[in-house]
Every structure is written in C-alpha cells, then in structure tokens.
C-alpha cells in the first residue's frame, strides 16, 4: 500500500493539456505533493508531456524518484493496456477513477475481466475504478479530482469509504469540525484493493489514531473481520454500514454488487471490535470522541454528564439511555463535594446540573472526573462570556484519568472560536446535545467491543461424522452428545413399539413423524402433542400412518416456557454465523435477531441476549422461567463450533430451544448438509 | 399573549445596579428593544431606578408606553408580592426566570401555591418560572439573560421549548444555518403560560411560517391537541418530544413533573397534525425543509433525488426508505429527457445519479421537477467550481410546482457562502446526506399528517347504559350490538343447560368461567377449548365447578388466524385513546403498539396499522388471513367512540380480536367502569 499512499513518484496516464479534463486535473492536483510527477500522453507535443509509461519512468528517476504509482485517466477500454505498460515500466500501484466497468453492463464486464487478468499477470495493485481517488494531506498528496480536497488539513483520522463521494463528504465534515486527516480513500468498485487492504495498512500507520469505515458491500468477510480485529486491538475503528433498506437496484448500478446483509455485517463488525454508527453525523461525533484516546480496557464504561442547562441535559440523558450508556449515581463523597460547589436546588447525582456555570465550574469538572466509578465526563453548556470552557476542563485533563468530551451551543462565531481552542488543546468538542451523546457512547461502545486477548479455540470434540441420515432424532443425538439437553425419546417402527415407548417414557408424549425431508411436520399433521393414554396413542398412530409415516419419534413433553430459535449456518460473505431469536412470528417480522460470526466462546455468545429488543422475555417475564445466560451461551457456542468445524454441514437449527424452570431443552432440531438446502 | 411578545412597555422588578446580577442583565437586554423600560428597586438611589411598580407604570406612561409586561427578578419568596404590586399598577404579563418553586421541595411548593393564588386573584398571566425567557429578534425584544441571544436575527421560524436552555440551543443552531426567528420562548416550569397559549398566539402570527415545539411534559392534553390542530391547518408544526427512556428522576428535578408518556404524546401530536422528529438535528432539518412552504395537500407525497455522487445518494436513499419516503420511478418521458442530458452509464430512474454535474445540471433539475408524479426534489452534491447550485435550481423554482431542497458538502468556507446564497434565494439548504433525507421526509410527513377538514362526529348510537354487570358476555353483547362480530354463544347455569348449548351451537366450543372479576381466566384454569363431545363437556364442567364457576359461557370456536389486541381507555393526560397491537408477549415486550386519541374516524383508525413494526403479519403472512383495514378501522373507531361517549367507562378491550378468513371476530373482551381499574 505504500506505493499508493507514500509513492516516490507518480505518472499520470492520459494526462491532458485541456485543464478541465480528468487527466489534467489529476496531474495538477498531484503536482502540489512535491513528488516527481510525469504526464503521459502519446499525442501530446507540448512541453511537460512524455509519450509512454517507459519514458515517464525514466523522467521520474531522473527527477530523483521511483515510478511507484500510476494514475490512469484513459477510457475504460484502454485501461488494461495502460496497466501492462505501467507494469513493464516498474509501476506497482495504479489508481483508476473512471467508470465503464462491470457496473455498465456486458461490455464493461469484459473490460473489467481483461483488467483483472492484467493485474494477475503483472502483480500490479489497482485502486478503483469508479472512485474520486484519495488524499493524504500530511504529505500534500491529493490524488483526487475534487478541487476542494486541497483545502483539507492533516490530522490523525483516517477514512476508508466505499464511495469516493462519501470519502470527500466525510473529509469536509471533519474539516468543519476543525479536524484533519491522515488519509482518506474511496475504494470505488474495488476490483482489487479493498477496505481490508487499506485497513491493514492503517492499523500500523503512525499518523492514524482512529479509523472510520464506510461500507456498502463486503466480498471476503472473514478477511475483513480479521483486519478489523487486528486494527481495533491497536486503535478505535468506527463503521457506517449502508443498506438497512432494500436499495439494491440503485446500489447495484453504483457498485456492480448486491449489498451484503446489513444486519449481519453490523453484528459481525461489532463483534470484531468496530464501533457501529447509524449515520454520517454519528460517525463524525464518534470519531471526535475517540480520536483523543480510548477508555482504559479495564474501566467500567460509565459516564457522567455535567450540564449548564437542564433542558439540553435531559435531551442528552435521554439519548444516552437509548444508547444504553449508564449514568450511575456519583459516589457520596463526590456528591458531598459538589454540594459545596453548587447551589442547593440543582440536581447533583448524575447528571450534574450546575445551573448557570459559575467560577466553581472547573472544580465541579475535576470533582466529577475524579470519581472512581466514572470513566468519561460529558460537559454541555451554552456559551457565556464568563465561561472559558477549554480552560475549565484543563485541570481535570491534567490530573484525572477520566476522558472528557465537551459540547457547546451559542452564536456561530463564538462556537467557531471555542472549537478552534478545543482542537488545539486536544479536547474532543462537538455542537449540540445529540452529538455529545453520540461521542460519549462511542467511547463506551469502543471499550465494550474492543477485542479481548486470546482467540477462542474450538474444541476438537465438535467433529461430527457424516455417517447417518440426518433426521430429527439423529440430529438430537448429535447435539445431545455435545451437551445440549434433548427430551427423552424413542423411535417406533410399529404400533407395538410405540405402546412400549409410552410405557417406558411415562408421562405425556409428543408423537411425531420421523422422516429426513419433512421439515414442516406440523403443517402435514405430523405432530401429536400431550399423548398420555394408549387410546390417544392409537389415534395419533392412525393419523401418522395415514400420512405415510414409517418411523415415529416419541418424546417426553417438556414443561412450558419461553421458546427460542437458535442456529448456525454458513453466510455467503462471512462464513459460519450463529443466530439467536425468540420464537413466534412477531420476532421474525420485526427482525429481532442477534447474529455473531463463529466460532465464538460461550461468554461472547451469552452476550447475544443483550442484542434482542425483547430480551426481557427471557428473564422471568410474568412469572415465566429465567434463562441461564451461561447455558444459552454454551449452546450457541456449540452450534457455531459445529458449523465452523464440520465443512459438510450447511446449517444446524434448534427450533424451539425452550427455556424452562429445569433449564434449556431442544424440542426440535434440523441439520442440513451442504448442497442440500440450496 | 401580546402583552408578553409585543408589549408597549416593560418594568424590571428587582433591577440591579450590579451589572452581573440577573435584574441588571435583563434590564440592559430589554433596553435594546427601544421600548420604555423602567427599573424597579426600592433600595436603589441611583438615577434610572424607581422605587415601586406603581412608579414604574407612571414612568412608562410618561415615556409614551403602557406597562404591559413585568420581568420579575426577585427571589422566589418575594414573587407573589411583586405580582400583586405589578397587577395593581396595570401590568398584565409577568416573566419569572428564577428557580426555587415546586421543583425545589416543600418550601418551594408553598411559594408556588401563593404565586398561583395571586395570578388567579389578579388575572395576571405568568411565563416561567425557571426559564431563561424569550426573544423576538424582529422587534429587538430580547427578554433573556443569555448574552448571545442579541446576535439572533429575525426570520419566519418560531420556537416554543419546554426549556429555556433548549430554546436558546435551537435558536443558535438555526443561526448557524443562517435562519432567523420570529419568536423563541422557553416555557420553563410553566405554572401558567404553557405551550398551548403560545401556540395559539403563533397560529395567527403573520411573522411565523413554521412552528417548532420542544415538549417535556403535557398538562392538558386535549387543549394542546386542539391548538396543534388549529395551528397545523395554517402552517407546519414540528415537535420534538423528550422522554423515550426513563429519565424521570432528573426530569422531575427540572420541571417538577413526571414526563408524560412519550409514545402516546408522539402518536397523538402526529394525529393532530405535527411532524414528529427524533432529535434536535432532525428538528432543524425538518424546519428548514418546511419554512419555504409545504407540499400541496392534494400531492402524492412522492420525492425524487438528484445526486452528483452515487455514494452519498445511496446514504440518502437508505435514510429515506427508513423514513418510508417513496422514491417512485420517474415517468418514461422524464427518463427519456434525462437520457439526452446525462451520460449513459448513470442511474436515471430515481434516484437520478448525474455523475459529476455538468452544464446540463439546471435542465436535469427542471426535468425532474416537472414530472407530474414528483412533489419534492432533493438535490445533493459536493461543491465544485463549475457548479452554481443556487443558480441551477432557479429555473425549476420559477417554472415548476415541485418543492426543492438542496444539500451540499465541501470546504467549510465554500459551504457558508452557498448557504448564504440559498437562504437569500429562499432555497431550503442543509449540509450532509442525512439532513437532506430529514428535510425531505418532513415535507412529506407534514402533507400526510396535516389535519383534513371536517372533524369526525361520533355516532350517538354509541351511548351504552350502565345497567348490568360487565362480564365477558355482557361486554360482547354491548360491542356486538355496535357491529363488532362476536362468536355465537350461550350461558349455562347447569350441566344440562351446557349440554343443550353443545347441541344448539354445534361444532367445537370454548367453555369458560363467567365471572366479572376473573380477568385472567386462563391462569385459574377457567378456559377449556375445542370441547366437541358430551364427554369432553363433562370433563370441562367438572373442572369449572371445582374452581367455583356458577355461570359458564359456551362459545363456538373461531377459525385460526392472527390475534390482535385492540382497546380504548382514558389516558390521564390526553383523555380517550385507542390502542392497537399484535397479540403475544413479543409485541408487548418490544412495545409495538399504535396509539390515537379518540374519537376518530374509521379511516383515521385504519391507518394505525401502518404504525406497527410487524404489520406484515396482518397481510397474509405465510398463507395466513389478510385483514380488511376498513373493518379493523371501524372496530377501533367504535371502541374509541365508546370511551369518548360514555363517561362511566374507563376502558374497553378486545383481546384477542382475531383476523380470520371470515373477517374479524372478538374472542374475549373486558369492560372496566371508572374507578374499578384504579
């Protein structure tokens, strides 16, 4: 990636003398880097142009550089040839901004295939096509045709955007907050260089302290996840994923690819350590919160809020509660000190409502920041002539471990001035109540999702031999052998065996058709519940015989409880994933499901419960049973491990897995081998 | 309200010579209005002070004014006396900024009671306490102690905020967008003047084109709703409601009141015609979208999006889809014209992706704006030297009916310049993809919720005599008589009557204990389903006898289907309300419920279905039955009408109301009389 982002020389293929043409704009833009830049145009006769890549390489070397990067500004059909020539001249990295590749239909697909073939043959790396490029303001390297990009300043934030437009949009938004960039890259169609490549480069880039990702679709999920994990171990990663709704027709025209499942992508990126945001505004606030440092990994993840005005404070507290950020009551000793600093009528437990900030404000901040239970302090206030906010936070910054984020509102010119002071002082600064809540919750979310040491190793006991027919009984045998409780059961091939089973198992039984391909037993009348007498069993047997049952499964009925759906399957993008949802159509209709990539530890899996909007139903809702999270985590980890370990398994599902007063029990289960479910 | 917002003279009670004191800040702030301002301080001997309200009134008259308004800056305990003196001097409106009233505990409660008594006695109106005041930049009347308020400019947006801090915060945010205010009011504790009073004033205020509300709690719901309805008939009303989460402890310290139900408040405000927003950022964008004019009431409510860059366009399209804003394909003729204006590789159906805007951009905009199906056009682009956005939209503004909203991103200085041009040209302008989506969806939401003519009149047939014991059967009789289908049924007082009922009703029966106070029949074993034979009936009868049943209800079993919960009850704040939800614990746990105030027409009620996150379950989900929205609307309207018409009814609920292939049927119902359910 160094050839792209720290080249020793650049050639522009298709450079033009017409200043409005892409090839001219790019060459002019690159000149400001001070690097050797050579303009290639076989038809150009003017000074300053050369006729070929080979001549350009010579010229660059003559200027003391190396021809690392080619910016290719020729029409799509000429791209493959340009790559071949550049590679022959020693270039190792190519940026292609134009469109006309696979997104443009059959002709474009053929063009893209030819380009890829050339990349394979030469080992050249390609960024694009369909991108407005990238910029590295620190080295004044602006490989972008967007003129305003030259006004961007250097800083410690890196952007990796699926779209060149979004890359620039975010960069300008950061500029409005006084924040500079180490690198901003638009991946474009991404036929070669992708998010993962750039992320791996940024993980160890010393100029980058926080990485913001904008993702439209993912090709190689596991590769991206491992890059996110590696990066997030070192620095915060914030991710905005597009595609909550079906915008695939438009998206496809844009990227030539169907959007990856939004829900799955967000879930597994968070699991890998990324802070997930819902909008570009939230991304900006999250990065501002995180760019001056993360919370300690061992911190509680608790916030305090100090507000000069109660009304905005209430908006912030409400938004923090929505983000599940805890504002715990401050220690009594903290509250006692605050009592000496603030008028008695203000609220001091947390939030701390100071009323109009007075001269005690710096001490209020230091007092709250010194509270052992508090890891981050958010401060909100309207601007006031008597209030020097940046000076007020300085004592706390100097003496306390807690991180501090400041938000203010006031006359725009005043805000601009304070923002500049805050940026200079390294104080995260945003405008408005919601932005403060977003910045605080990003700090806490980062601490929560940050990858913990030690990868989880799957037990080798999860190897299952594909040596039988996979019906409900054999699947239950398999998952039961791995520690997932199943009901006591028998198989009957005759009425006599069935009656024997009724005697042996005792108690009311579920009597079900047993046949590998009948996946919806209930729909065909293949399930009879609460069979407790020989008469009832005969009725059930007759009915099952009528629908052609040759084997019948007889099981002890489980006690009542709350039904879950748990399973693991192969996601086409991310590989093995685990799913947890509540039973019933409503949960399915509202999409209330938790997703993780597998393998995963029982502890990681247990936390999936928190993702469910209706999670309270699992904890003694209306006198019902309460789940043991460790047991559920263990079931989910086992299912994920099964799919991750056994290549021949496409999917394993337990539906329902019932929470009862006696623990979890798998009432039905299905195993689908690869190819079978397609 | 004119005494507050257009006074002919102002006295400041508790004016001070110490410039940092509230009384001095307020008086100085008021001086800039050019109105006669009198400073009252009995201990002041300096020039420019008078000793009493009476002297102040004389001074104001001498200056050619009238003593309409008193700004009272004395400590809370002295407020009641100050009001008495002001009233005696002819003042009709008082602004009280200080705290120390009911939010401050028992002593404060007594002080507040004394103030209220004085208001009742004198007829004086009071704004506050606990507010930073209000401002009317057009008349340079700044009754606020926040210094920056003097930098606010005049404009056509009015703010009514629960909190003075939020009033200022929003005003400054509008200023950052170059937008001025007609009036900004912080209600504070609101012991007298409330949102409704100010809203009624603003509804006919000629300087105000859009009203933004910030609501923490509501005292008199019906009064607020009728003010919102009246205002929304004339101009857009945007509302931000705080309190999604339980922040009541802090809220109570702030306002002295428990937050009103967030969900109910949002639902009924939208029903009354307000555009509901989720954050202050969304409020700003919504107001920007609406302040230059609403959509025609007869429009389709369809948007088109033109984007210079596909990536931000995708973010916008995704956000619009989340807000349920339709981007219908443009007419073929529109697409044909666009085909002549744009390069062939761009997406032109809607969104219209122009690629980098060229000289055809103004014509692209006019073409899309001329499409008959399109009511509002959103335009997004990065700044470019070649692109004069405001000039580009002018032809479309001049010749087309469609509204236009523009969003741009770019270097901050460029954006500031374009924003100023846009504001001057009356073009709604925001920064960033999400803000554009929010502005567009506000325009469409406003059209959707805008009050339609003709209030709905409840049928007088909904009068029910409270002349019986209200058990399941009599409630079903009552709702059945009003057209809500119920199962065929009989009451049995003896086993013989029960067997006769089995014969008469035929088919399988539900056999249930009938007793007014047993609300959870199933929990006590009082329900036996699918009773189809005399033997099964005997078993059921024995069981019901054992739990003490003296009357038994026998009903024909309904076919399977999807179960709803519908009901109407009296909300403590808003009066009669109607609720619709899906049956089952998941819907309840995730709070997936639709709420409206009653009475309401069947058509209005039918639209409640759209509020349900899981609404697809009502429309043939997996081969299940499909609801007839008109029938469901009729049931909901009837239930609402019952509670609205019959004062003695606290609540009526049908749970479940089942959707079947043969229509809706009420399987269980409960009527609670007033006092009973408390």
């Amino acid at each position: 990636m160094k050839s792209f982002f720290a080249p020793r020389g650049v050639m522009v293929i298709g450079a033009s003398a017409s200043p409005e043409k892409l090839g001219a704009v790019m060459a002019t833009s690159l000149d400001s880097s001070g690097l050797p830049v050579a303009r290639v145009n076989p038809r150009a006769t003017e000074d300053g142009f050369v006729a070929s890549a080979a001549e350009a390489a010579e010229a660059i070397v003559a200027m003391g550089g190396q021809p690392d990067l080619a910016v290719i500004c020729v029409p799509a059909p000429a791209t493959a040839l340009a790559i071949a020539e550049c590679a022959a001249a020693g270039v190792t990295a190519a940026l292609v901004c134009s469109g006309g590749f696979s997104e443009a239909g059959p002709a474009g697909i053929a063009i893209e295939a030819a380009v890829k073939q050339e990349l394979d043959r030469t080992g050249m790396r390609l960024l694009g096509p369909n991108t407005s490029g990238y910029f590295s303001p620190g080295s004044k390297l602006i490989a972008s045709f967007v003129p305003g990009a030259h006004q961007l300043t250097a800083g410690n934030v890196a952007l990796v955007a699926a779209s060149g437009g979004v890359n620039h949009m975010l960069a300008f938004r950061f500029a409005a907050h006084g924040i500079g960039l180490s690198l901003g890259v638009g991946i474009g169609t991404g036929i070669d260089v992708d998010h993962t490549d750039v992320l791996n480069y940024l993980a160890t880039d010393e100029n980058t302290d926080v990485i913001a990702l904008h993702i439209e679709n993912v090709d190689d999920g596991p590769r991206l996840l491992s890059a996110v994990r590696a990066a997030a171990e070192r620095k915060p990663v914030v991710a905005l994923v597009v595609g909550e709704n079906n915008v695939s027709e438009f998206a496809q025209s844009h990227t030539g690819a169907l959007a990856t499942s939004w829900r799955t992508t967000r879930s597994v990126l968070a699991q890998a350590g990324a802070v997930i945001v819902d909008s570009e505004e939230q991304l900006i606030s999250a990065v501002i919160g995180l760019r001056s440092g993360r919370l300690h990994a061992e911190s509680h993840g608790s916030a305090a809020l100090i507000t000069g005005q109660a009304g905005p404070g209430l908006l912030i507290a409400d938004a923090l509660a929505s983000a599940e950020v805890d504002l715990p009551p401050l220690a009594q000793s903290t509250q006692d000190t605050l009592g000496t600093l603030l008028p008695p009528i203000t609220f001091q437990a947390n939030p701390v409502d100071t009323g109009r900030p007075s001269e005690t404000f710096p001490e209020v901040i230091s007092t709250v920041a010194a509270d052992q239970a508090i890891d981050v302090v958010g401060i909100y206030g309207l601007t006031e002539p008597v209030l020097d906010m940046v000076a007020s936070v300085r004592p706390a910054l100097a003496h306390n471990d807690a991180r501090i984020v400041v938000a203010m509102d006031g006359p725009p010119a005043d805000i601009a001035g304070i923002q500049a002071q805050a940026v200079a002082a390294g104080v995260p600064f945003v405008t408005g109540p919601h932005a403060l809540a977003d910045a605080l919750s990003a700090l806490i979310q980062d601490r929560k999702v940050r990858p913990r040491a030690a990868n989880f190793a799957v037990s080798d006991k999860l190897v299952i031999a594909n040596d039988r027919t996979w019906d409900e009984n054999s699947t239950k045998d398999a998952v039961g052998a791995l520690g997932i409780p199943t009901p006591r059961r028998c198989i009957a091939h005759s009425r006599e065996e069935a009656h024997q089973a009724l005697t042996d198992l005792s108690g009311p039984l579920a009597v079900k058709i047993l046949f590998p391909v009948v996946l919806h037993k209930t729909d065909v009348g293949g399930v009879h519940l609460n069979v407790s007498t020989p008469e009832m069993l005969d009725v059930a047997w007759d009915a099952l015989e009528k629908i052609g049952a040759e084997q019948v499964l007889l099981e002890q009925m489980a006690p009542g409880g709350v039904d879950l759906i748990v399973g693991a399957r192969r996601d086409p993008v991310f590989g093995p994933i685990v799913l947890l949802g509540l039973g019933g159509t409503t949960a399915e209709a509202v999409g209330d499901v938790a997703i993780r990539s597998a393998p995963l530890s029982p502890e990681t899996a247990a936390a999936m419960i928190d993702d469910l909007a209706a999670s309270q139903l699992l904890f003694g809702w209306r006198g019902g049973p309460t789940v043991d999270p460790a047991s559920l985590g263990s079931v989910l980890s086992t299912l994920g491990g099964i799919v991750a370990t056994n290549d021949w398994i496409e999917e394993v599902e337990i539906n329902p897995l019932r929470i009862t007063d006696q623990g979890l029990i798998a009432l039905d289960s299905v195993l689908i081998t690869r190819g079978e479910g397609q």
Side-chain angles (χ1 to χ4, degrees), chain A residues 185-205:
Chain A
V185 181
I187 297 296
T189 308
I191 66 171
D192 178 28
V193 171
D194 62 8
H195 285 80
T196 305
D197 293 312
V198 184
L199 194 52
N200 284 333
Y201 169 77
L202 292 169
T204 56
D205 175 42

Side-chain angles (χ1 to χ4, degrees), chain A residues 396-407:
Chain A
L397 281 178
H399 298 296
N400 298 109
D401 284 341
R403 305 225 66 84
I404 292 183
V405 183
V406 171

Side-chain angles (χ1 to χ4, degrees), chain A residues 87-106:
Chain A
V91 174
T92 54
L95 168 64
V96 177
C97 296
S98 53
F101 295 82
S102 61
E103 83 287 356

Side-chain angles (χ1 to χ4, degrees), chain A residues 456 458 462 464 475 478-480 482-484 564-570 576-580 596-600 602 605 608 631-646 649-655 657 666 668-671:
Chain A
F456 170 69
V458 191
L462 296 184
I464 300 176
T475 302
V479 301
L482 297 172
I484 298 175
L564 304 173
I565 303 176
V566 297
R569 61 173 175 79
R570 288 180 201 285
I577 59 170
V578 175
L579 298 101
L580 164 67
R596 293 290 186 281
S597 73
L600 76 177
M608 292 173 73
S631 303
L632 180 54
S634 174
V635 169
L636 292 163
S637 174
T638 298
L639 293 175
I642 287 173
V643 171
T645 304
N646 300 281
I649 297 179
E650 180 67 28
E651 180 174 354
V652 55
E653 183 183 79
I654 300 176
N655 177 11
L657 176 72
D668 199 355
S669 69
V670 169
L671 187 151

Side-chain angles (χ1 to χ4, degrees), chain A residues 103-116:
Chain A
E103 83 287 356
I109 291 172
I111 291 169
E112 185 170 308
V115 169
K116 280 183 172 167

